[in-house]
Amino acid sequence: MSARVVVLISGTGSNMAALMEAAKDPGYGAEIVAVGTDREGTRGVEVARAAGVPTFVVPFRSFSDRSAWDTAMSDRIAEHEPDLVVSAGFMRILGPAVIGRHQAVNIHPALLPSFPGAHAVRDALAHGVRITGTTIHFLDEGVDSGPIIDQVAVPVEDGDDESSLHERIKVVERRMLVDTVGRLAREGWSIDGRHVRFGRTDMKENR
Ligand code: GAR
């Protein structure tokens, strides 16, 4: 039986689209059961709808405070009974209502713990690093601070701007995301402190 995956996005959704493509293979081990977003009119949601994947929108601005939004988001996610939530270009911080109820991973376009936050590619360029990359990690209640599952390095080239560098990161990011979500789905995982291992063990077991 495939793992049920809810994907959260805020924009283009190219990572979501890569997951949807991979999940067409029954051997992949994960099924995208819904796509959620925090804002109306995103391109990624249109792509998901066109592919027949259920979508939901929980607009941040419709709630009086962050905690009410977080609870609503958690409830909408729960309706789809996910085994795993994948934040793939979701640009809001998920709070305790989501994190405490759902197992969730996030992709981030930098080699964490360097350059957390919403402008990782810009911040890495401004700092003058020669190597940056992408990270997939479990979510905890901090900002981009949870246990790391995998990372891939991407060299900065002379003449790179934020857009050219981000596009190269996204190429490797999509591959990393597809590989990691597939392995989590097929093999399960355990988390021991900051260390994530594939495979089921006696430690904190999921699924
Ligand atoms: C991805 O590069 C992802 O790492 C980044 O947004 C992009 C979404 O692209 N996420 C963050 O910056 C989160 N802090 P996509 O919509 O084409 O998948």
Side-chain angles (χ1 to χ4, degrees):
M1 204 176 72
S2 285
R4 297 175 62 81
V5 171
V6 169
V7 183
L8 302 181
I9 61 170
S10 295
T12 316
S14 71
N15 282 282
M16 170 212 74
L19 275 179
M20 280 170 35
E21 187 60 33
K24 285 182 184 167
D25 175 356
Y28 181 61
E31 179 193 354
I32 313 306
V33 293
V35 171
T37 183
D38 58 320
R39 59 196 76 179
E40 301 280 357
T42 60
R43 183 164 145 57
V45 164
E46 282 167 26
V47 170
R49 280 190 190 132
V53 175
T55 61
F56 59 91
V57 184
V58 187
F60 189 76
R61 293 181 200 293
S62 308
F63 292 83
S64 54
D65 60 42
R66 176 171 286 281
S67 152
W69 172 79
D70 193 48
T71 300
M73 183 54 102
S74 182
D75 290 345
R76 294 305 305 275
I77 293 170
E79 287 170 13
H80 300 280
E81 301 181 351
D83 298 302
L84 185 67
V85 175
V86 176
S87 156
F90 188 68
M91 300 308 284
R92 300 250 175 228
I93 294 164
L94 292 161
V98 172
I99 307 299
R101 187 171 179 189
H102 305 287
Q103 297 286 337
V105 298
N106 176 53
I107 48 169
H108 183 74
L111 294 176
L112 291 170
S114 293
F115 311 116
H119 306 291
V121 179
R122 189 189 308 170
D123 294 346
L125 267 179
H127 199 84
V129 297
R130 301 307 301 170
I131 296 177
T132 184
T134 177
T135 302
I136 183 164
H137 63 95
F138 276 97
L139 281 177
D140 65 8
E141 289 182 15
V143 177
D144 300 324
S145 57
I148 290 170
I149 312 167
D150 198 11
Q151 297 185 295
V152 181
V154 175
V156 177
E157 290 176 3
D158 294 340
D160 259 338
D161 60 16
E162 185 178 353
S163 156
S164 65
L165 179 57
H166 201 168
E167 281 311 310
R168 283 207 317 290
I169 291 172
K170 282 170 73 164
V171 172
V172 298
E173 191 168 56
R174 288 192 282 268
R175 218 158 33 222
M176 179 187 72
L177 176 69
V178 166
D179 286 352
T180 303
V181 169
R183 285 197 68 186
L184 291 171
R186 292 187 303 272
E187 299 174 32
W189 67 88
S190 63
I191 303 174
D192 180 16
R194 288 214 50 88
H195 298 274
V196 180
R197 291 185 185 82
F198 292 106
R200 295 173 175 85
T201 73
D202 293 331
M203 288 179 282
K204 183 176 173 188
E205 188 162 288
N206 319 90
R207 298 196 61 235

